[in-house]
Amino acid sequence: MKMNKVEKSTVMYRALNEEQCREIAAAAIRILGRTGCVIQNEKAVALLKEAGCVTQGDHVWIPETLIRWALDAAPESITLYNRDGEPAMRAEPGEFNFGPVTSTCDIIDIKTGERRKSVKKDLEEAAVLMDSLENLAWASDCLTLSDVNPAYCDITEVSVLLQNTRKPFWYYAQNIDNLKIQFEMFETVAGGEDKLRLHPFTVNLICPLDALRHSDNGMEQIMYCAEKGAPVVYIPGTEFGLTSPATMAGTIAAGIADCLPALVVSQLTAKGAPFIAACFRNNVDFSTMALDHSRPEMIAANIATADVWRYLGLPFCCNMANTDNGDFGPQAVFEKTAQYYSVMLAGINMCYGVGCYEAGMVLRYADWMFSNEVIEYLKRLVCGFSINEETLAENLIDEVGPGGVYLMEEHTMEHIHDFWVPQLLKSRKMGKGAALEQDLADAAAEIIAKGPQNELDAAKKAAIAAIMSRVEAEYSK
């Protein structure tokens, strides 16, 4: 009997070793103790001061001991559930998950192929499509609704997602009042505050203002979600040479320093509150001052940042499914596939941006169909294969013997379906490849035409509708 037998080994990539992670983390912690940060929320500043921080107005210096305490207090892994309280995805070391872009302005119409502003009906259809694709681990508020009052479009987006997908999803809230209404919906669907706390199925997407400057609204939401035991992802943005140093190590350290104050505030509010670290990493084209979302330095920086957050013991999220191209074509496909593969190799817990084009301005359903298959393809490369008595098949090789054929063997029948078979990305003869995007769009249209497959039950749907009616009436006064 073999001891310490390993059946499956996965491919993993690290940009930094442990000592390098320690050095970058130490630099981020020193930044907050020496440079400090601005926090524009009085309650958060009071919490930090009471915990031992030096403050001058909204300028706060956070000591290393407090940061280390918060890192120890926060959970290393987070489980997200579906709308019905069943485990759906994990953000923990070694796990990778992909999710859609958030808040694009325009959509490529799958019937006409034309670019246009997105409307509520589009999000309803998008939720149906997101719900059906197995390699989208969560859903999102992927579209900005041009036909809804901007004052409560975030609430409307949440109501649409709740009704049309079982998957966990992330969302944003424009302000604390809207967030409270969203939680009223979440708790209605979950069956109460305690059930939502036990089986969270949403993640609040929160962004700070600028480098080392944290908004009143963002901190208010961090504290509210911590009190509710609800997961948040906090996403600072660092652009090489623009909002952070023009070096890999400097921009990673700056980005981590930008995320840590939110972690500390969340843990001071409620020790153990679920917190997902994140950071945008973008190159800057200094000839045009435009951001670039798919250069190799961005990918390398995200992988390295994941290494540091893993070292510090926090789940990590990044934007690694993006392209600045507006068209579905060879360059966009290459850029996205390179990012997907890198996410898997690095074990980045949550990667978002699937479906986005033109730096997050445009959503293509065809890309969701494409990416769903590409991710499945790449899983076969990185997730390894089993080595055991059954798969080695020595007895079968002995039975078939030299020159034999395995086609009709029972063992072949049992394992032939282990191989990946493309559903949409099939080989095309010369001259037929141009139709791929339309084929993908048509496949998306077929799924959407079937309507919601996991529609919210009637009573909860009516309760959500009642909340929306109240919101609409309040804003129409």
Side-chain angles (χ1 to χ4, degrees):
M1 182 178 183
K2 291 184 179 180
M3 302 302 292
N4 301 320
K5 185 177 179 181
V6 177
E7 281 204 359
K8 184 179 286 189
S9 176
T10 59
V11 180
M12 296 296 288
Y13 171 73
R14 297 285 181 268
L16 304 175
N17 61 35
E18 186 169 340
E19 183 58 35
Q20 290 172 317
C21 289
R22 182 183 295 113
E23 185 61 30
I24 288 179
I29 291 170
R30 288 194 296 268
I31 289 168
L32 291 172
R34 184 175 61 238
T35 308
C37 61
V38 170
I39 295 181
Q40 300 177 337
N41 181 280
E42 292 181 1
K43 182 180 176 182
V45 171
L47 274 176
L48 290 163
K49 185 174 184 178
E50 186 178 352
C53 296
V54 173
T55 65
Q56 290 182 4
D58 61 5
H59 199 149
V60 180
W61 291 264
I62 306 177
E64 179 175 354
T65 51
L66 184 57
I67 296 170
R68 298 286 185 189
W69 170 85
L71 287 165
D72 289 340
E76 187 175 16
S77 63
I78 295 172
T79 299
L80 290 178
Y81 297 79
N82 65 23
R83 191 183 59 195
D84 299 325
E86 301 163 342
M89 62 162 280
R90 297 191 306 275
E92 64 181 24
E95 290 281 338
F96 58 80
N97 301 278
F98 292 88
V101 63
T102 187
S103 300
T104 54
C105 298
D106 298 343
I107 189 170
I108 303 301
D109 192 297
I110 54 173
K111 295 179 181 177
T112 67
E114 298 296 319
R115 178 175 179 165
R116 60 173 173 78
K117 295 295 179 184
S118 51
V119 296
K120 182 182 175 183
K121 178 66 174 174
D122 293 321
L123 184 57
E124 292 170 351
E125 295 179 346
V128 170
L129 188 54
M130 288 185 284
D131 193 65
S132 74
L133 299 178
E134 61 180 338
N135 287 312
L136 292 184
W138 73 94
S140 79
D141 53 341
C142 55
L143 296 165
T144 300
L145 310 183
S146 64
D147 60 342
V148 174
N149 187 330
Y152 59 82
C153 61
D154 52 340
I155 302 173
T156 303
E157 290 164 13
V158 160
S159 74
V160 169
L161 292 171
L162 285 170
Q163 294 177 73
N164 292 283
T165 177
R166 290 177 73 235
K167 286 185 177 180
F169 63 83
W170 77 6
Y171 65 98
Y172 74 99
Q174 297 186 67
N175 52 61
I176 192 66
D177 292 332
N178 285 17
L179 181 62
K180 290 177 180 178
I181 296 170
Q182 290 170 330
F183 264 85
E184 185 181 351
M185 292 183 174
F186 300 156
E187 291 167 4
T188 295
V189 170
E193 182 177 356
D194 289 343
K195 288 186 177 179
L196 181 63
R197 186 182 292 269
L198 284 172
H199 301 125
F201 57 85
T202 64
V203 178
N204 188 3
L205 170 60
I206 304 172
C207 300
L209 283 173
D210 302 305
L212 297 176
R213 196 155 67 99
H214 305 270
S215 70
D216 176 43
N217 178 42
M219 281 294 162
E220 193 71 29
Q221 292 193 38
I222 287 285
M223 292 183 287
Y224 183 83
C225 288
E227 289 169 354
K228 292 284 190 178
V232 299
V233 57
Y234 197 70
I235 307 185
T238 53
E239 290 80 28
F240 293 99
L242 192 61
T243 60
S244 63
T247 56
M248 193 76 76
T251 208
I252 294 169
I256 289 170
D258 222 3
C259 199
L260 286 171
L263 169 70
V264 174
V265 169
S266 76
Q267 300 309 303
L268 288 174
T269 303
K271 186 178 180 181
F275 184 92
I276 301 168
C279 198
F280 280 105
R281 302 288 186 208
N282 296 317
N283 292 79
V284 181
D285 183 338
F286 287 101
S287 64
T288 63
M289 295 308 292
L291 301 183
D292 192 294
H293 297 80
S294 54
R295 299 270 180 93
E297 292 85 359
M298 179 210 77
I299 297 174
N302 275 327
I303 292 172
T305 304
D307 289 342
V308 179
W309 285 122
R310 192 180 299 110
Y311 166 79
L312 291 173
L314 286 182
F316 174 65
C317 171
C318 74
N319 176 12
M320 284 261 273
N322 212 334
T323 178
D324 296 308
N325 284 277
D327 295 324
F328 181 93
Q331 184 175 348
V333 164
F334 163 74
E335 291 173 348
K336 284 173 168 279
T337 302
Q339 292 173 60
Y340 296 156
Y341 193 40
S342 300
V343 166
M344 294 183 187
L345 292 176
I348 294 172
N349 302 143
M350 297 179 72
C351 163
Y352 71 97
V354 180
C356 74
Y357 282 72
E358 209 172 275
M361 295 300 292
V362 184
L363 173 64
R364 289 177 179 272
Y365 290 159
D367 183 77
W368 280 351
M369 307 304 293
F370 164 81
S371 296
N372 189 59
E373 290 217 2
V374 167
I375 290 167
E376 188 63 34
Y377 180 108
L378 294 173
K379 281 182 180 179
R380 302 303 178 105
L381 297 184
V382 305
C383 290
F385 53 90
S386 296
I387 301 176
N388 53 39
E389 186 175 347
E390 168 70 12
T391 61
L392 286 170
E394 292 179 57
N395 290 338
L396 176 63
I397 295 170
D398 188 41
E399 289 175 16
V400 173
V405 176
Y406 293 82
L407 182 61
M408 299 307 295
E409 296 294 329
E410 184 178 343
H411 185 275
T412 301
M413 297 301 105
E414 291 173 352
H415 290 281
I416 195 68
H417 296 295
D418 295 348
F419 292 85
W420 178 73
V421 178
Q423 300 302 307
L424 299 170
L425 302 182
K426 298 178 181 179
S427 299
R428 288 168 164 77
K429 292 186 179 296
M430 185 174 179
K432 302 294 184 181
L436 175 60
E437 183 179 7
Q438 188 58 53
D439 290 347
L440 294 168
D442 290 344
E446 287 181 19
I447 294 172
I448 290 169
K450 296 175 183 176
Q453 301 301 298
N454 293 295
E455 203 166 3
L456 190 63
D457 73 60
K460 291 178 179 178
K461 196 170 184 178
I464 296 298
I467 294 171
M468 280 307 310
S469 294
R470 190 188 75 215
V471 169
E472 291 166 1
E474 289 175 358
Y475 278 99
S476 65
K477 292 177 182 177

